[in-house]
Amino acid sequence: MLYKLNKYNNIFIEKLFIFFIKNRIKNYYLTKYFYIVFSIYQYIDIKTSTEIKFKDERNHYIPIFILNNFGIKTNSGEIYQYEKDKKIPSKGVSIKKEAANIENYYATNKLDDGRLSNFIEKILFANLAEKFGALVIKNLIENPNQSLIPLEENILATHSAFQYVRTPAFAEQLKIYILYLLEIKKVPREVFSNKGKDELRKIFESNSLNIDDDEVRNYFIDQMSKNIDMHKVLASKLDNSNAIMKCIFMSIGTSIIKPLFDKKISIIEAKDPFFFIMPDSGTIIIDTKEPECRWPFGWNFMRKTKVLLLPLSPERCLVFHEGKLDNTLSELFRNCAIGSSYYQYFRYIYSDRKNTLVQNNLNNL
């Protein structure tokens, strides 16, 4: 019975969503009505999710529909994957099977019986953020000059917020913040446990400890200058670091939706001879006050100078920013979106073109 309800519920909410998009509905009360229906939709999804049996599978941390936008033109099922210090691949890798995915990456253990759950992948990403995000982004690529309606802006903010926090690159950043909390802020180890989850959420969502991004970056630079293996240090301090990170990254994603929604959303286009590539982190974070400082940055998007960029295709990039997007600002964002794509803490970048510019920049890091 629940599955049948879920099936018809999915059809209805998708048709309602498409109706809003096609008719460019901006009415506040109608939009509010959509979110009431959407909340019911989420509730039913959560209830039916208990019937989803866990199985081993590869979880994409960059959605397939985004990777397909960068797919090799002669074969949309493949993409060029570049890795630092490696030769340019003679052929692409499978988007579905090889690119930007890790086996059971989002798997979590249920608290009641310890069984593995794929709730994050099946409900939060595949059935919510990606489904509606794909519809909006597809329309945005096809109609880049079309004004966004509030519903689209909210979906884009939601999709981008979770794209930012769902990647291995963000996990690396989060490890640094956790070490900073343990060593500099002297947060007790007991907080990093199931019993301390509520306190952790306060630290990461509302910044209850007044964490300064610049302090974290200076701490990171200092540790790296001493050749300290931060992964080993963290492993020696916490035996459940991976579980803790998965516990809090959803909370962080939720907390930054509104700050992103409150920013302006624009599309910038690449200019020859450059083109946008997809970084392994999915998103690019810059600060217009310090555009040369790229990582780590934290997630305080209430800061007016902080900008999030999400490459949508080799030709177009989505930008969350403050102020009017004049030519000077557009050029800054364009350069940062192209240049910062090469500067990745994690391993890969993705492109639809075999181009020496990509590999030369990687080798010069």
Side-chain angles (χ1 to χ4, degrees):
M1 178 65 184
L2 283 174
Y3 271 128
K4 286 184 178 180
L5 180 60
N6 180 265
K7 176 182 177 181
Y8 293 117
N9 176 49
N10 285 345
I11 293 173
F12 173 72
I13 195 69
E14 284 183 48
K15 287 188 177 295
L16 182 62
F17 184 81
I18 291 171
F19 175 80
F20 269 69
I21 300 299
K22 284 187 175 180
N23 292 277
R24 318 305 300 159
I25 294 177
K26 299 181 180 181
N27 183 280
Y28 169 79
Y29 294 103
L30 286 176
T31 303
K32 191 173 182 180
Y33 166 75
F34 174 85
Y35 278 108
I36 292 173
V37 176
F38 187 70
S39 297
I40 297 172
Y41 164 77
Q42 288 179 296
Y43 175 79
I44 295 174
D45 263 344
I46 292 170
K47 288 297 181 183
T48 58
S49 69
T50 57
E51 298 182 22
I52 299 175
K53 292 183 179 179
F54 177 84
K55 64 177 182 178
D56 289 329
E57 57 184 33
R58 301 196 72 82
N59 300 155
H60 276 80
Y61 50 86
I62 296 177
I64 289 178
F65 79 89
I66 288 283
L67 290 170
N68 278 335
N69 292 340
F70 292 83
I72 300 169
K73 301 306 181 185
T74 56
N75 183 350
S76 60
E78 293 186 338
I79 194 169
Y80 291 125
Q81 177 176 276
Y82 296 87
E83 186 176 2
K84 186 175 183 291
D85 296 328
K86 294 288 181 72
K87 292 181 179 180
I88 295 177
S90 58
K91 63 177 183 178
V93 298
S94 168
I95 290 174
K96 187 175 182 180
K97 297 180 180 179
E98 299 174 83
N101 67 84
I102 297 174
E103 186 175 359
N104 297 331
Y105 180 62
Y106 298 117
T108 54
N109 293 93
K110 291 184 176 181
L111 294 180
D112 53 354
D113 55 16
R115 290 187 297 115
L116 283 173
S117 167
N118 55 15
F119 174 83
I120 295 176
E121 168 72 8
K122 296 297 183 184
I123 302 303
L124 179 61
F125 293 140
N127 209 21
L128 293 180
E130 290 184 19
K131 177 186 292 183
F132 298 106
L135 292 170
V136 174
I137 289 173
K138 181 178 183 294
N139 185 55
L140 199 57
I141 290 175
E142 293 174 351
N143 306 286
N145 297 320
Q146 189 176 64
S147 297
L148 295 171
I149 61 174
L151 179 58
E152 289 174 319
E153 292 178 338
N154 190 282
I155 292 295
L156 288 172
T158 302
H159 175 85
S160 301
F162 283 110
Q163 179 57 61
Y164 173 53
V165 301
R166 67 189 287 184
T167 64
F170 180 79
E172 295 299 318
Q173 179 172 318
L174 201 54
K175 288 178 184 178
I176 293 168
Y177 274 80
I178 291 174
L179 271 178
Y180 169 82
L181 292 175
L182 286 167
E183 296 195 340
I184 306 301
K185 292 293 187 178
K186 305 300 181 183
V187 175
R189 292 176 60 173
E190 294 73 27
V191 173
F192 297 89
S193 66
N194 284 331
K195 292 182 179 180
K197 284 192 296 186
D198 289 339
E199 188 170 347
L200 270 179
R201 288 193 181 100
K202 290 180 182 178
I203 292 173
F204 285 102
E205 289 183 22
S206 60
N207 197 15
S208 61
L209 294 181
N210 295 316
I211 300 172
D212 183 89
D213 290 346
D214 293 333
E215 279 187 18
V216 178
R217 185 167 60 226
N218 291 335
Y219 167 77
F220 169 67
I221 294 171
D222 180 61
Q223 298 299 299
M224 293 299 287
S225 69
K226 297 175 182 176
N227 293 318
I228 293 174
D229 189 329
M230 301 184 75
H231 302 291
K232 287 184 178 180
V233 173
L234 183 60
S236 68
K237 292 179 177 293
L238 296 175
D239 57 7
N240 61 342
S241 58
N242 287 332
I244 289 299
M245 287 188 291
K246 286 176 181 175
C247 169
I248 60 180
F249 87 79
M250 282 185 13
S251 295
I252 295 174
T254 301
S255 71
I256 62 179
I257 291 174
K258 189 177 186 305
L260 286 178
F261 177 72
D262 289 340
K263 290 182 180 291
K264 293 184 178 179
I265 304 176
S266 301
I267 291 288
I268 56 173
E269 297 192 356
K271 289 185 177 180
D272 289 336
F274 299 105
F275 51 88
F276 296 120
I277 54 180
M278 173 57 63
D280 200 279
S281 59
T283 60
I284 299 161
I285 313 299
I286 63 170
D287 195 311
T288 55
K289 186 178 180 181
E290 299 177 288
E292 72 282 356
C293 297
R294 296 184 177 93
W295 198 94
F297 256 124
W299 43 90
N300 180 17
F301 289 102
M302 294 182 68
R303 191 169 175 175
K304 290 187 176 182
T305 55
K306 188 163 291 188
V307 177
L308 183 144
L309 302 103
L310 175 68
L312 302 178
S313 73
E315 292 77 28
R316 295 189 175 93
C317 183
L318 188 68
V319 188
F320 293 82
H321 63 99
E322 301 278 349
K324 184 179 178 182
L325 191 64
D326 57 20
N327 291 335
T328 301
L329 201 55
S330 296
E331 190 63 25
L332 172 64
F333 291 163
R334 186 180 295 110
N335 291 338
C336 287
I338 293 170
S340 297
S341 297
Y342 300 114
Y343 187 86
Q344 289 300 302
Y345 186 81
F346 205 55
R347 297 180 64 191
Y348 303 116
I349 58 174
Y350 304 96
S351 174
D352 71 332
R353 312 173 195 197
K354 287 193 294 183
N355 191 294
T356 54
L357 176 67
V358 176
Q359 194 62 34
N360 287 341
N361 276 274
L362 282 172
N363 290 336
N364 288 334
L365 288 181

